[in-house]
Amino acid sequence: MRKFPPAIALAIATAIGASFASSQALAYGAGDFFTRIGVAKVQPKSDNGTLDTALGSLDVDVEDDTGFAFTLGYRFTDKLGIELLAAQRFEHDIRLNGDNIASTKHLPPTLTLQFYPLGGTNAKVQPYIGAGVNYTHFSDEETDIDGVSLDLDDSWGAAGQLGVDLLISEHWSLNAAAWYLDIDSDAEVGGSNAGEVEIDPVVVMAGIGFRF
């Protein structure tokens, strides 16, 4: 077996140790706190239901909106974590029978339990999948019809999530994620029950992540 001079052997050992420590620093693992910050687009499904009102039957179409969003998360183990999605209030125009005559704002906090298949490894690309629950709070509903009000009840529903982090340093990463949210709201038009609005959006977010 070839023997290196002491100085060279020490340099090789130091280089190997530094490389190992660097790769371990990048590894996702238990005990990590993290946040992800970016821009999110809320895309409700098409055909959001029909409302039965004194004005007749109204087909509902809820429009898209884009805004600032962020998440906070924690890793219980190398492969399991939890994450809370929060955002500024999104504002959606609402078309009734094709006319843009109503609007609403909402907050969609969403909590998911996440699985990281490559957690605990040195992979720089870290995909994840999550499932959990969404709560949506509606506010500031308005219509352009004089004397006709619109009220949307808050909603609880299931949530699913897909995402990926691209690690660029010990603390920073690039992130892309998508959620499916089950949002169904009972609606009142002019103070009378009018039916259910099925929003069920896909939320797509791109931004950066920071690990503490």
Side-chain angles (χ1 to χ4, degrees), residues 179-201:
W179 292 258
Y180 168 77
L181 307 180
D182 178 22
I183 301 177
D184 299 327
S185 174
D186 292 329
E188 291 185 0
V189 177
S192 299
N193 293 331
E196 188 174 68
V197 177
E198 299 177 357
I199 302 174
D200 299 342

Side-chain angles (χ1 to χ4, degrees), residues 23-123:
S23 64
Q24 288 299 303
L26 286 176
Y28 270 28
D32 287 345
F33 285 93
F34 59 88
T35 184
R36 297 173 175 128
I37 302 170
V39 176
K41 183 176 184 179
V42 180
Q43 301 172 281
K45 73 170 189 174
S46 59
D47 186 11
N48 303 120
T50 301
L51 299 180
D52 297 319
T53 75
L55 303 174
S57 181
L58 301 175
D59 292 330
V60 181
D61 186 11
V62 182
E63 301 294 297
D64 300 350
D65 191 35
T66 300
F68 169 78
F70 67 95
T71 72
L72 295 172
Y74 177 71
R75 298 287 292 277
F76 299 112
T77 70
D78 287 343
K79 296 185 182 297
L80 291 178
I82 195 168
E83 184 179 43
L84 175 66
L85 168 67
Q88 69 178 67
R89 289 198 301 174
F90 293 97
E91 182 173 7
H92 298 273
D93 291 331
I94 301 175
R95 293 184 178 273
L96 301 176
N97 283 352
D99 295 323
N100 188 10
I101 57 177
S103 66
T104 187
K105 296 179 181 179
H106 84 277
L107 285 172
T110 302
L111 187 67
T112 52
L113 179 67
Q114 300 171 316
F115 174 68
Y116 293 78
L118 302 181
T121 74
N122 299 326

